[in-house]
Amino acid sequence: MAVRIGDIAPDFTADTTEGTINFHEWLGDSWGILFSHPKDFTPVCTTELGAFAKAKAEFDKRNTKIIGLSVDPVESHQSWKKDIEDTQGAALNYPLIGDPDRKVADLYDMIHPNANDTLTVRSVFIIGPDKKVKLSITYPASTGRNIDEVIRVLDSLQLTADYSVATPVNWKDGEDVIIATSVSDEDAKQKFPGGWKTLKPYLRVLPQPNK
Ligand code: BEZ
């Protein structure tokens, strides 16, 4: 079954490079990002794992735990770790799930048989502190992810969880935002006393409220 925005992220217990983890317990009150890799000892995955490791401090700043998954066993991940450090200049500093029986991959619908019936696609799930899925993105095996984009959408998700705003195209942290269409002008006066610019009645722009 597909896991969709608004669904409770399926819970699981799995072996990882940092021992056995119960997913929901491990998440605690944090935000979480679960991302899958097709296979160990593959080139694009190696670069992605290194890039996530380099960006770990950015996720920590955002109260967000990161966890990877590859369908190979943890013993294989432990050997692969050395290659990641050697070639990417960053040691794995977050858990990597071993999923040889594809229990987690199946739970999250990470295997797309018309792409490949044994390897996972590159899924990204962002999960809120309420354990609900806030975002999912899917890439094919041949295309590495963009970590800056993962951080950008996390910033948007965290902002829009706290304020009645939405973020426009290509928005980055610190740029102007849009008042949610569900907020009337009258309510907006209370929520945003600093005011806003009305470009159209449905397009009201204001500086990012938490800056
Ligand atoms: C890669 O990470 O480079 C990769 C993995 C599986 C299939 C194709 C590419």
Side-chain angles (χ1 to χ4, degrees):
M1 259 265 289
V3 177
R4 294 176 175 166
I5 291 175
D7 292 354
I8 294 286
D11 195 16
F12 57 83
T13 298
D15 288 337
T16 80
T17 47
E18 298 186 6
T20 303
I21 279 179
N22 171 263
F23 189 48
H24 281 194
E25 233 172 69
W26 175 81
L27 284 170
D29 296 327
S30 300
W31 287 69
I33 303 183
L34 168 65
F35 47 94
S36 59
H37 298 275
K39 202 169 172 44
D40 290 7
F41 300 102
T42 50
V44 177
C45 298
T46 302
T47 62
E48 288 187 318
L49 284 164
F52 271 108
K54 282 186 193 154
K56 172 80 164 30
E58 291 300 318
F59 294 111
D60 290 344
K61 263 201 276 184
R62 291 161 173 81
N63 184 32
T64 301
K65 294 184 175 178
I66 59 175
I67 186 163
L69 174 148
S70 171
V71 290
D72 291 310
V74 164
E75 302 78 63
S76 163
H77 297 350
Q78 298 292 8
S79 319
W80 189 23
K81 272 169 75 171
K82 295 187 206 82
D83 291 1
I84 294 160
E85 189 167 359
D86 285 354
T87 62
Q88 306 305 308
L92 205 66
N93 51 9
Y94 53 87
L96 185 58
I97 297 165
D99 195 32
D101 55 6
R102 299 179 210 156
K103 188 179 79 179
V104 181
D106 284 342
L107 259 184
Y108 280 82
D109 194 33
M110 290 167 168
I111 293 180
H112 296 194
N114 290 328
N116 187 300
D117 56 9
T118 55
L119 308 180
T120 64
V121 291
R122 298 184 196 281
S123 300
V124 181
F125 292 95
I126 301 188
I127 295 149
D130 58 1
K131 310 287 183 294
K132 287 188 180 165
V133 173
K134 305 298 179 186
L135 172 134
S136 73
I137 324 179
T138 307
Y139 297 74
S142 52
T143 302
R145 283 159 281 211
N146 183 315
I147 310 299
D148 290 341
E149 171 61 2
V150 176
I151 293 171
R152 188 193 76 84
V153 292
L154 178 61
D155 283 338
S156 171
L157 292 169
Q158 293 189 333
L159 176 71
T160 58
D162 289 343
Y163 296 89
S164 303
V165 297
T167 59
V169 61
N170 294 335
W171 174 88
K172 288 204 272 316
D173 188 42
E175 294 180 356
D176 286 357
V177 300
I178 293 167
I179 299 175
T181 50
S182 55
V183 178
S184 66
D185 278 351
E186 200 170 305
D187 288 346
K189 280 183 199 146
Q190 310 295 318
K191 288 179 189 285
F192 308 112
W196 62 87
K197 200 157 64 178
T198 301
L199 303 180
K200 291 284 174 191
Y202 57 84
L203 180 51
R204 298 164 294 173
V205 178
L206 79 166
Q208 184 172 328
N210 63 348
K211 292 286 175 184

